[in-house]
Amino acid sequence: METKIKNYLGIAIIGTLVMGTYGILSFVRSYATVSETSSFSTSAEGKAVAIPDIAQFSFSVVTQGEINLQDTQSENTNKANAAISFVKSRGVDAKDITTQGYNVEPRYQYFDCSGRQSSVCPPYEIVGYTITQAVLVKVRDFGKIGALLSGVVQNGANTVSQLSFTVEDPAELENQAREKAITKARNKAKSIAKAGGFRLGKLLAINEGSYYPMPMFSQAEAKGGGAPTPTIEPGSYDITINVSLTYEIK
């Protein structure tokens, strides 16, 4: 009799364990299904119009000289210093003038030995040097840009390039664009939830990206002389923030 009772108890315990295991597996399977479908994401973009308050351009002094490097350096330095002095005389602060580069490159004379019967060909030799000094100028008063572009040429520069406009501190505009993007994404999420027949839960994640198109003029070789002062229009551009919101589904 005791043996039968023990057998019945063993069967009952095994059955309980089997049912418990099945219940755990069902819970895990159900939880996995819910986890996969318990959230969704929506995205939107916001824009703020940026009116540039900073202009930048580069000018270079390129000097080609003979074999006497010191003479070429002196000529290049005198012209570059004259152009920089002119920029300062127009009210540009020294902190807004940056030397971007100073390059000294030799120029070589090569010999064509294709018609020579002898296998010996004279080696190439240095016949002069080219010196390039590049300067970046930041302009805060847009009314001076045209005069500066013309003036640096008249004072020694022979290349002007990379004129661009930007906002010195875009943080406030970024905040405006971000608020617009989040508002749009939130409203979009509410609309989707209403159409889908579910309620929004807590906000799980926010992802952000930004885009800054930069107005810029292509490089142009400047010509000296009494050229007219160019009219420069800074225009405007959009600061765009893209936001993705991930919500829990209730």
Side-chain angles (χ1 to χ4, degrees):
M1 186 68 177
E2 291 180 358
T3 302
K4 290 182 178 181
I5 292 173
K6 289 181 178 179
N7 290 338
Y8 288 140
L9 288 174
I11 293 171
I13 291 171
I14 292 172
T16 301
L17 290 175
V18 170
M19 293 298 293
T21 302
Y22 175 78
I24 292 173
L25 290 174
S26 298
F27 171 77
V28 171
R29 192 177 300 113
S30 175
Y31 177 78
T33 303
V34 171
S35 295
E36 291 175 358
T37 60
S38 62
S39 66
F40 83 104
S41 298
T42 184
S43 61
E45 71 173 24
K47 294 183 179 181
V49 178
I51 305 299
D53 55 12
I54 293 290
Q56 293 186 147
F57 71 91
S58 296
F59 71 82
S60 299
V61 177
V62 182
T63 306
Q64 290 189 346
E66 303 302 325
I67 195 65
N68 190 324
L69 179 58
Q70 186 175 356
D71 290 346
T72 307
Q73 284 180 312
S74 296
E75 180 183 350
N76 183 274
T77 298
N78 290 336
K79 289 181 178 180
N81 289 348
I84 291 173
S85 295
F86 166 78
V87 171
K88 290 180 178 179
S89 73
R90 301 294 294 193
V92 178
D93 198 289
K95 66 181 177 61
D96 291 330
I97 304 172
T98 305
T99 299
Q100 289 185 303
Y102 185 90
N103 299 318
V104 178
E105 298 180 0
R107 297 200 320 279
Y108 297 99
Q109 172 69 54
Y110 296 92
F111 298 95
D112 183 8
C113 300
S114 57
R116 287 174 173 259
Q117 295 182 353
S118 173
S119 60
V120 179
C121 184
Y124 58 81
E125 60 183 34
I126 296 175
V127 295
Y129 294 90
T130 300
I131 299 178
T132 303
Q133 187 170 172
V135 179
L136 175 67
V137 179
K138 185 181 293 186
V139 186
R140 301 175 188 275
D141 184 351
F142 288 1
K144 298 178 179 179
I145 298 174
L148 287 168
L149 294 174
S150 297
V152 292
V153 174
Q154 295 169 8
N155 284 272
N158 43 25
T159 299
V160 178
S161 64
Q162 297 178 342
L163 174 63
S164 63
F165 297 91
T166 187
V167 176
E168 187 170 34
D169 185 7
E172 181 59 32
L173 293 170
E174 289 175 355
N175 290 337
Q176 294 176 18
R178 185 178 295 110
E179 289 176 4
K180 292 179 181 179
I182 291 176
T183 299
K184 288 181 181 179
R186 186 187 296 119
N187 292 337
K188 186 177 178 181
K190 291 178 180 178
S191 177
I192 293 173
K194 182 178 179 180
F198 60 88
R199 291 187 298 121
L200 294 178
K202 63 181 180 180
L203 181 62
L204 301 176
I206 299 178
N207 294 309
E208 178 184 310
S210 58
Y211 174 61
Y212 296 80
M214 185 69 66
M216 182 172 290
F217 292 88
S218 60
Q219 179 168 329
E221 293 295 326
K223 298 180 180 180
T229 300
T231 300
I232 304 299
E233 299 294 343
S236 65
Y237 63 94
D238 291 334
I239 291 179
T240 303
I241 299 291
N242 295 288
V243 169
S244 175
L245 304 181
T246 301
Y247 284 96
E248 180 185 36
I249 295 177
K250 286 187 176 182

